[in-house]
Amino acid sequence: MDLGLKDRVYVVTGATRGLGNAAARELVADGAKVIVTGRDEKSAAGAAAALGTNAVGTAADNAAPETPARLISAARDHFGGFDGILISVGGPPPGFVADNTDEQWTTAFESVFLGAVRLARAAAAELGEGGVVGFVLSGSVYEPIPGLTISNGLRPGLAGFAKSLADELGPRGIRVVGLLPSRIDTDRVRELDGLSADPEATRAVNESRIPLRRYGTPEEFGRTAAFLLSPAASYLTGIMVPVDGGMRSGF
């Protein structure tokens, strides 16, 4: 199946590792050109180099107000266009309600929530018909995850924002989609499992709750992201797609 990604240009934030990197890999593999971002120039450049000549790395802080315009300009300057953005933000610090400080909440809000809103808003102003704005969120949009209180508070709000944005941009032919990963085998998920006294037992318990009885691979997530961002998904907008092996209990 041809996804129609050849020579389309995307910005993928948080793409030096994990889910953002997996999405960038699959986009490039299908012919797209990608601006990949990370917190420092060295890691962003390294991630881009690993993807080949159709990727360029740039350091970017999602919380910085000037970041969106700079990334869109980078896409146009390096590749001559801008067709979409995948907004992947780092996970907020873990903790229960009593653990997280006001400072942690404020920092996470600036980066995870307001930074994502700014990126999406700037992209919406620059995209034409056929453009797409994607969000990497979390299964916590529908089902809170114990020990991830800040994420549980912020990500459902972003899902609501994404739906509002989809309604507003639809008449212009611009799509908005969200991905809701759960137990994907990334460094972040292994770190969370490692917070328990017995990480292997924790993983086994989590796997037992997944109908497919295993964690997903980054490649599986990346392929889903590439499809949703592609012209092949041209009639999909305003949706949140669980990438969780069936773990979500609802429809």
Side-chain angles (χ1 to χ4, degrees), residues 85-148:
I85 186 168
L86 182 64
I87 302 167
S88 179
V89 298
F96 293 90
V97 173
D99 302 328
N100 296 125
T101 65
D102 285 0
E103 182 179 4
Q104 288 176 317
W105 273 99
T106 301
T107 299
F109 177 79
E110 289 284 340
S111 177
V112 173
F113 192 94
L114 187 56
V117 168
R118 286 195 189 108
L119 285 161
R121 201 167 52 198
E126 295 289 332
L127 288 168
E129 185 172 358
V132 60
V133 177
F135 294 86
V136 179
L137 300 176
S138 165
S140 63
V141 164
Y142 291 124
E143 297 178 9
I145 301 171
L148 293 181

Side-chain angles (χ1 to χ4, degrees), residues 219-234:
E219 291 77 16
E220 288 172 316
F221 175 87
R223 287 193 292 269
T224 305
F227 167 70
L228 288 174
L229 293 172
S230 78
S234 58

Side-chain angles (χ1 to χ4, degrees), residues 144-248:
I145 301 171
L148 293 181
T149 301
I150 295 179
S151 180
N152 294 339
L154 297 181
R155 297 197 193 276
L158 275 176
F161 168 76
K163 178 58 177 171
S164 295
L165 191 64
D167 293 344
E168 293 181 22
L169 297 184
R172 290 171 49 197
I174 300 170
R175 300 184 300 110
V176 182
V177 295
L179 293 106
L180 308 182
S182 188
R183 309 309 289 193
I184 307 295
D185 197 10
T186 61
D187 291 342
R188 166 71 170 172
V189 167
R190 288 191 290 272
E191 175 190 349
L192 294 175
D193 286 349
L195 296 175
S196 69
D198 189 339
E200 290 187 9
T202 297
R203 177 166 179 147
V205 169
N206 286 329
E207 288 178 331
S208 73
R209 295 171 178 161
I210 300 171
L212 291 180
R213 294 298 190 269
R214 63 177 178 84
Y215 283 13
T217 67
E219 291 77 16
E220 288 172 316
F221 175 87
R223 287 193 292 269
T224 305
F227 167 70
L228 288 174
L229 293 172
S230 78
S234 58
Y235 203 57
L236 298 180
T237 192
I239 59 170
M240 295 286 128
V241 178
V243 188
D244 63 1
M247 189 173 183
R248 185 183 171 215

Side-chain angles (χ1 to χ4, degrees), residues 29-130:
D30 265 75
K33 299 175 180 180
V34 179
I35 299 293
V36 299
T37 82
R39 285 194 169 273
D40 66 83
E41 201 70 50
K42 184 177 180 181
S43 62
L51 294 174
T53 57
N54 280 346
V56 170
T58 183
D61 178 1
N62 283 359
E66 68 275 9
T67 290
R70 187 164 61 82
L71 295 181
I72 294 169
S73 292
R76 296 195 190 281
D77 292 345
H78 286 286
F79 297 124
F82 175 58
D83 296 297
I85 186 168
L86 182 64
I87 302 167
S88 179
V89 298
F96 293 90
V97 173
D99 302 328
N100 296 125
T101 65
D102 285 0
E103 182 179 4
Q104 288 176 317
W105 273 99
T106 301
T107 299
F109 177 79
E110 289 284 340
S111 177
V112 173
F113 192 94
L114 187 56
V117 168
R118 286 195 189 108
L119 285 161
R121 201 167 52 198
E126 295 289 332
L127 288 168
E129 185 172 358

